[in-house]
Every structure is written in structure tokens, then in C-alpha cells.
Amino acid sequence: MAGIAPHPQDWLRVTPAGLLCEPGGFFIDPTRAVDRAVISHGHSDHARPGHRHVLATRDTLAIMTARMGEGRAGATQQALPFGDPVTINGVRVWLRPAGHVLGSAQICMEWQGSRAVVSGDYKRSPDPTAAGFEVEPCDVFVTEATFALPVFRHPPAEAEIARLLRSVALFPERTHVVGCYSLGKCQRLIAMLRQAGWDRPIHLHGAHVALCRVYEELGIRLGELRTATVAKKEELQGAIVLAPPAAVADRWARRLAEPVVAVASGWMRVRQRARQGGVELPLVISDHADWDELLATAEQVEAPEIWVTHGREDALIHALSLRGIRGRALHLVGRGEEDEAEEPAAT
């Protein structure tokens, strides 16, 4: 007679270095250098340098290497395609798309009949630059809670892109400068602008150039890109410029042609914060799940227990309890230091 499967809390635990799979001997998105790491995606609050062995998707490994330098993104690397299982010290591990940014993955684990899924950061809305989120039923699902309040219901990103293009048409003499993060958001905006029919060159702040080049090398077509800092002011009239959120409110943006300041972030749902940051055109475009998507995902994975890693844990745990799902805050440290997991300075 088969024994009772262990609860994931018996083999997954929070340590100062992050979430540890004890029987497997590996950490998931550790916050300090470890012997063996499984990395969900390339944002710096999840992907740190100095690990001895790193397992991730091919795209995440390429992004990590581009950002950290050769040899710093794992002394040895193992690329694992989505859906292909590998066994690590008796723990079966496979990856599913998370939909967050290019290469982003959910870490799926099974040990002695017990299954847990660590989602990393994820979104459920379409993204032409990232494989869409796939539901993996499990016993415990580990979720983020960045936008886990009912106020955060993201509109269709296509509608926000249409708002941007209407503004460009309305003010053809001005430069539209859009604050966005260098990994994921920047490339998604470019791809969505192309889908919407914008075939003119898109200008970039220097901080965005390198990762756009990596995306192109990984097969994501972005069209003609130019560096904004070398462009003449008249060339930027009627143009779209993408820059880090901090740069759009900085002296850097003053060289542009009567800039219309925009920021693309889930935080732009809070209009008061947009006004405080001097954002003329707030674009509610997020790479994280909103309130409805978090709750829908919790239902779809069919997990009786959900662990919450960072964000608005209390609100989400309460909402889950009303649906008969046990919630637990993991209190992992070091999350929310990049992309929009914390409110950007420009808001």
C-alpha cells in the first residue's frame, strides 16, 4: 500500500538565501550565491550572480549572461525547455511558461507524490514577446501578490497602446517619451506598437539598447530602433522614445521636443501617483497579474493551499480564505527590487 504523500511544507522551506527544496538540494531564485539554483526569470530581484550551477530556460540564461557577464550567471548552466522534466536528487523538476517576460518560467516540482509550483512573477494577458502562462495543477501554488488589491484591474494593453498612438497623432510636433523597464516592458511595448501598425523608428534611451539587442538575437523582431541620445531634436518631433522610468522625469528628457511624459506600469492605475510624478499620459500596462487574474489563477491550479511571496499578502490571503483556499505568507526577502514589483520612482 502506497504511503501518504508528504505535504510540500515538509520539503520546501524558507531560508536566509531563499526558498530551498531540501531533498533536491537546490534553491529557487536565491537572494545570495548558492551551489545549485533554479531561476524563474532574468529580473535582478530573482536572478543573482555567483551561483555554481544554474538551471533555467535558454532565454533566461542568455538574459542573465548579458546582464551579469560571462561566468557570473552560473559557473555551469543547464538550459531546460518548457515541459521537459529532469530529476534532481529524486525530485522531478520541469518548467512551464509564466508569461511575465521572455524566458520566464514557473518552477514545477514533484517529490514522493507531492507537487508544488513556484510561479515566480507572472501575468495572464497576451504578450508578443513571451510565451503565455500555462496552468499546472498542484498541491501548493506559490504566487506573487504585487497588484493584489481590487483596485488593480488592468485594462487591455492594446487599448493603452491605442491611447498612446492617438496622443502621438494629436500632438505631432511633440516627442512622446514613455517610462518603462529595460527587461520585458520595453520590448513588449515595441512589439505591441509594431502590431498596432507603428512602422517608424522607435528611439531608445541608452539603458534600453543592450537588452533589445539580446531579444533580437533570441528571435524577437523589434523593427528599426535608434538611440535617442544621438538624435537631433527635430528628428524626435512626433517620435516615440522609450526610457527608464526615472529618466522621464530627469534632466535627460528636457532635450526632447516638448516631451509628452508617459509611464507604462500597473501603478498608473493610481491616478494621483501619476499626477505627483508629472506623468501626462499614464499607461496602465503591467507585466504582473491583476486582482482578477490572481484569483482566477488560484482557482485554476486547484491547489488547496497557496503561498504568497511578496506584495499585498494580507488582502490576497483573505480573499482566498473566502474561496475555501488556505493562504500563507512566505515573507521572502529581496523581492520587488526591479520591474514594477515596487512602485517606480517616476510615479
Side-chain angles (χ1 to χ4, degrees):
M1 182 177 175
I4 299 174
H7 191 285
Q9 70 185 10
D10 297 331
W11 52 279
L12 284 176
R13 67 182 179 91
V14 175
T15 76
L19 190 62
L20 169 66
C21 174
E22 287 194 289
F26 60 85
F27 291 83
I28 299 164
D29 293 347
T31 56
R32 59 182 69 170
V34 298
D35 184 63
R36 183 178 286 272
V38 180
I39 303 298
S40 65
H41 67 283
H43 280 137
S44 63
D45 56 330
H46 292 257
R48 310 288 175 112
H51 307 308
R52 192 179 72 83
H53 181 79
V54 172
L55 183 147
T57 64
R58 177 203 66 152
D59 293 341
T60 291
L61 291 174
I63 288 167
M64 289 176 65
T65 298
R67 304 190 91 188
M68 300 173 188
E70 289 290 339
R72 300 196 71 227
T76 60
Q77 297 182 340
Q78 181 179 359
L80 189 64
F82 289 127
D84 286 5
V86 63
T87 299
I88 306 172
N89 297 328
V91 179
R92 186 169 173 263
V93 179
W94 66 103
L95 305 177
R96 290 284 184 215
H100 179 55
V101 298
L102 179 63
S104 61
Q106 303 171 76
I107 316 302
C108 309
M109 298 161 285
E110 191 169 74
W111 184 65
Q112 297 185 357
S114 175
R115 180 177 294 190
V117 173
V118 179
S119 62
D121 291 336
Y122 67 96
K123 69 172 179 289
R124 303 299 303 270
S125 55
D127 181 342
T129 68
F133 183 96
E134 293 181 5
V135 171
E136 182 72 49
C138 53
D139 301 302
V140 163
F141 182 70
V142 183
T143 185
E144 60 152 305
T146 303
F147 291 112
L149 287 175
V151 67
F152 291 114
R153 289 183 164 97
H154 307 323
E158 296 81 2
E160 298 298 277
I161 292 292
R163 289 180 57 236
L164 171 60
L165 292 178
R166 284 197 297 272
S167 182
V168 173
L170 189 62
F171 301 107
E173 73 288 354
R174 301 177 68 184
T175 302
H176 282 67
V177 55
V178 184
C180 57
Y181 296 95
S182 63
L183 171 54
K185 185 67 64 63
C186 171
Q187 297 79 19
R188 182 186 182 197
L189 292 179
I190 294 169
M192 293 191 72
L193 283 165
R194 299 308 188 199
Q195 285 184 335
W198 183 265
D199 56 5
R200 293 170 54 185
I202 294 174
H203 294 76
L204 304 176
H205 185 283
H208 285 356
V209 172
L211 281 171
C212 286
R213 190 174 298 122
V214 172
Y215 266 60
E216 293 254 340
E217 291 170 353
L218 293 172
I220 305 297
R221 300 296 180 89
L222 300 176
E224 185 178 356
L225 305 176
R226 297 180 183 175
T227 304
T229 47
V230 299
K232 296 178 180 178
K233 181 174 283 193
E234 56 268 25
E235 183 185 342
L236 296 177
Q237 288 183 332
I240 296 174
V241 176
L242 304 184
V248 301
D250 187 65
R251 193 170 50 193
W252 180 86
R254 297 177 198 161
R255 64 181 304 279
L256 306 175
E258 297 183 71
V260 175
V261 175
V263 168
S265 169
W267 296 110
M268 292 295 97
R269 171 60 75 190
V270 184
R271 298 302 188 190
Q272 182 181 358
R273 299 190 188 279
R275 287 194 296 270
Q276 288 172 348
V279 180
E280 188 174 345
L281 182 63
L283 301 172
V284 185
I285 301 176
S286 175
D287 285 335
H288 293 261
D290 68 6
W291 177 250
D292 291 332
E293 291 167 340
L294 289 167
L295 294 178
T297 303
E299 297 277 0
Q300 291 164 6
V301 297
E302 301 174 352
E305 189 166 325
I306 290 182
W307 298 350
V308 186
T309 57
H310 62 283
R312 310 287 182 151
E313 296 103 328
D314 293 346
L316 183 57
I317 288 170
H318 176 67
L320 292 172
S321 72
L322 299 178
R323 290 160 173 78
I325 301 171
R326 293 189 302 276
R328 170 187 166 193
L330 285 190
H331 303 299
L332 287 176
V333 298
R335 295 289 181 260
E337 296 175 5
E338 191 179 6
D339 95 287
E340 59 187 346
E342 281 190 352
E343 183 184 348
T347 66

